[in-house]
Amino acid sequence: MRSKSLASIAVATGLALAVSACGANTSSNTGGSTNSNSGSGGGTKVGVILPETATSARWEGFDKPLLEAALKKEGLDPDIQNAQGDVQKFSTLADGMINAGVKVLIIATPNSEVGASVAKKAQAQGIQVIDYDRLNTGGSSSYYVSFDNVKVGELQGQGLVEGVAKLVPGKKPAEIIEVEGSPTDNNATLFTEGQHKVLDAKYASGDLKKVQSQAIDGWDNQKGGQVFEQMLTGNGNKIDGVVAANDGLAGAVITVLKKVGLNGKIPVTGQDATPDGLQAVLRGDQYMTVFKPIKDEAEATAKLAAALAKNDKAAADALATGKTKDSKGNRDVPSVLLTAQLITKDKVKSVVDAGFVKASEICVADTQAACTELGIK
């Protein structure tokens, strides 16, 4: 996913693996944390639970190795597991980490309900909880680390408007389909909010026309493609632009557009700057993605966890200078909110130069000419 997107970074050596080949975490689902990803045991124990691997390559390919490196650098002993989209497994992993005596629990949950439940159990045992990347609305986690996700949505809206002007100039109203992220993911709600800060004025002026909008449960790419195909067919296989909430959904949309010969002829948005997404941008099938420097997110989380592990609330508060409104819980959550970047074809090289992906991951047979042209090597 997700996503739900993305500052200059240097990636950890764990990213040498090809993201597309990332598989499932081998954590146990039998009641305790396996500690298979823990450090040497010399530091304070910190638990991390990531949400899934099915809809986004980022969690295992980027977040996991970057969090492990950053937490160890802070002298902590991390146990990083992945719930594989299973809320029961998420709860079981959390129980195991709580019973193992972690000092801090960092959670990126499949949905807010399970996240709120886990946070409540952890805090009852005196464990500090950080919501990572996704805010658990209605929950009680003490801190939140993510990107300014409303701004991420604004970048997607800006990218769509720019793409329509370049690829379908003069078309009024340009017809738009919106394929949004999971309704149970608060980030998806924020992305949509940001998109509409840009798009609503265009809809009102008649420059754009929203044909249909649909949120996709669980950020399921296959379902997203099916839903988009139905919406496209219902519009006579004609469309002038697509808001896709992340690179996975964008890929599913592009697969459908290829069937009707529209790929590369209309703008499609994305998010996460995944290798597949960047390849699509280089081909011209996807107009833009959003680069979220996950290394910055991981390092900010590690510094916050280190402060909490020392019971240094003042240091934690000095890091979390932002506030995020939890409307369901009617509270403002102390937050670290990072900055993302809009990436079009001419800016793909900046993602490679930042070390986020390797040139070899995106410069393949049908994108090599574009890489050469852009000086990506």
Side-chain angles (χ1 to χ4, degrees), residues 13-332:
T13 55
L15 288 183
L17 55 88
V19 173
S20 60
C22 291
N25 193 308
T26 56
S27 60
S28 168
N29 193 25
T30 58
S33 159
T34 66
N35 219 32
S36 62
N37 297 307
S38 66
S40 62
T44 302
K45 291 182 180 179
V46 173
V48 182
I49 313 178
L50 301 175
E52 48 90 16
T53 60
T55 70
S56 179
R58 66 164 286 187
W59 301 111
E60 289 294 292
F62 296 99
D63 296 86
K64 178 181 170 182
L66 290 169
L67 278 166
E68 184 169 21
L71 289 164
K72 286 182 176 180
K73 185 178 179 180
E74 293 296 328
L76 303 171
D77 181 15
D79 178 11
I80 305 177
Q81 306 292 342
N82 195 302
Q84 300 299 339
D86 186 331
V87 294
Q88 182 56 54
K89 183 172 183 178
F90 195 99
S91 294
T92 301
L93 289 170
D95 288 343
M97 292 178 181
I98 291 169
N99 292 335
V102 297
K103 185 75 172 179
V104 180
L105 188 59
I106 300 164
I107 56 175
T109 57
N111 63 56
S112 290
E113 186 176 351
V114 67
S117 175
V118 163
K120 184 176 180 180
K121 286 192 290 185
Q123 290 168 327
Q125 299 299 317
I127 298 169
Q128 294 279 358
V129 182
I130 300 171
D131 282 347
Y132 178 79
D133 199 73
R134 300 171 172 176
L135 179 69
N136 291 302
T137 55
S140 57
S141 297
S142 300
Y143 297 92
Y144 172 51
V145 181
S146 190
F147 294 86
D148 184 336
N149 291 309
V150 173
K151 182 63 178 178
V152 169
E154 289 183 42
L155 294 177
Q156 292 176 317
Q158 291 167 14
L160 182 81
V161 171
E162 177 185 308
V164 166
K166 287 187 176 181
L167 298 180
V168 285
K171 178 68 184 294
K172 285 193 178 184
E175 296 185 304
I176 307 301
I177 287 176
E178 300 174 355
V179 184
E180 303 291 3
S182 176
T184 60
D185 180 355
N186 186 61
N187 278 6
T189 301
L190 298 177
F191 301 148
T192 303
E193 178 186 338
Q195 292 160 11
H196 283 270
K197 282 191 170 186
V198 177
L199 298 180
D200 281 353
K202 296 294 183 179
Y203 290 143
S205 70
D207 290 339
L208 303 179
K209 175 185 176 182
K210 179 164 64 178
V211 172
Q212 201 167 343
S213 180
Q214 180 67 52
I216 306 301
D217 289 338
W219 293 90
D220 187 316
N221 297 332
Q222 182 176 2
K223 183 175 182 180
Q226 293 168 349
V227 169
F228 172 70
E229 188 161 24
Q230 292 167 1
M231 292 190 288
L232 181 63
T233 301
N235 203 48
N237 285 336
K238 295 178 181 179
I239 202 67
D240 300 306
V242 182
V243 176
N246 72 355
D247 289 350
L249 291 172
V253 164
I254 291 165
T255 297
V256 176
L257 291 175
K258 286 179 178 178
K259 295 180 182 180
V260 295
L262 286 177
N263 60 300
K265 298 179 181 178
I266 66 166
V268 178
T269 71
Q271 176 189 178
D272 288 336
T274 63
D276 285 347
L278 291 169
Q279 285 181 26
V281 172
L282 289 171
R283 292 186 189 102
D285 289 336
Q286 184 173 325
Y287 185 75
M288 59 80 69
T289 186
V290 180
F291 172 35
K292 299 187 293 189
I294 297 171
K295 185 171 185 286
D296 291 357
E297 186 178 20
E299 290 181 347
T301 302
K303 291 181 185 301
L304 186 57
L308 294 175
K310 298 173 185 175
N311 297 314
D312 191 343
K313 188 176 185 302
D317 289 344
L319 292 166
T321 56
K323 296 287 183 184
T324 300
K325 182 69 176 179
D326 175 2
S327 56
K328 186 176 179 181
N330 194 29
R331 68 188 187 113
D332 291 322

